[in-house]
Amino acid sequence: MTTRFKHGDKVRVLLTHPPGHRRTPHYIRGKIGIVEVACGAFANPEELAYGFDGLPLKEVYKIRFAQTDVWPEYRGPDHDTVDIDIFEHWLAPA
Amino acid sequence: MRGPHDIGGEAAGPVDTSAKAPEPWHKLITALSGVLGNGLHNIICTDETRRTREALDQETYDAGYFERHTQSLADLLVEKGLLDSEALTQRMAEIEKRINKEGR
């Protein structure tokens, strides 16, 4: 089964702030990262949170971000990264 | 809108690393959530409890881990029509009266 994104793909996290239960932290929205791995498909928690069945399943991707891209005033080493698991519908090709 | 939980990147002060023994009511609310939830009765699910927790006002949210778990569970059960909000308020008032009078 092929997934929409694969290891090495450059993706952008959508910059949107919909109301209600969301699993994408504010600080990573709008940022660009690289896909590490597809983590499998899961029922959508943003729908489960309202009593829906969360189907169809949605792929979760582990995305790696450079800390210097995430934090404007990052003072740690340039090579530092942060990995965040993000649902596919929050991602667009970059 | 940014919920009280969504604080990644914000300054949040030092982490309290003191070990605290759980109080009986902490265990009770954990057990209650477990019985109601995923894998047992499936009356509530984790995602629903997260939603109502994230919707708490800042003051309630900051009251503590078990305080917000309790309030958000009550809110969810009221929303589902399984708990009557007025009956709950009344019962809490009765208990508070008893505590003030009898210390229990």
Side-chain angles (χ1 to χ4, degrees), chain A residues 5-23:
Chain A
F5 298 112
K6 62 184 189 308
H7 173 79
D9 285 351
K10 199 170 175 189
V11 292
R12 177 187 294 276
V13 181
L14 299 188
L15 182 64
T16 179
H17 304 301
H21 184 63
R22 305 292 160 184
R23 295 291 293 170

Side-chain angles (χ1 to χ4, degrees), chain A residues 7-92:
Chain A
H7 173 79
D9 285 351
K10 199 170 175 189
V11 292
R12 177 187 294 276
V13 181
L14 299 188
L15 182 64
T16 179
H17 304 301
H21 184 63
R22 305 292 160 184
R23 295 291 293 170
T24 305
H26 261 71
Y27 74 86
I28 209 63
R29 296 180 190 181
K31 307 294 183 186
I32 293 178
I34 308 290
V35 176
E36 265 303 295
V37 69
C39 303
F42 299 86
N44 186 355
E46 298 172 2
E47 294 288 306
L48 293 170
Y50 297 91
F52 300 111
D53 64 11
L55 299 176
L57 302 183
K58 295 203 176 205
E59 193 74 26
V60 171
Y61 294 93
K62 189 177 294 291
I63 312 297
R64 182 158 294 171
F65 302 86
Q67 288 284 44
T68 51
D69 287 345
V70 179
W71 312 107
E73 288 160 40
Y74 190 73
R75 292 195 299 265
D78 283 349
H79 60 255
D80 279 357
T81 59
V82 56
D83 287 1
I84 302 180
D85 294 347
I86 301 181
F87 273 89
E88 62 172 289
H89 59 284
W90 275 90
L91 300 171

Side-chain angles (χ1 to χ4, degrees), chain B residues 28-38 44 49 53 69-70 73:
Chain B
L28 192 57
I29 203 65
T30 304
L32 195 55
S33 300
V35 163
L36 289 169
N38 298 72
I44 64 173
T49 65
R53 204 167 311 124
H69 273 250
T70 305
L73 178 61

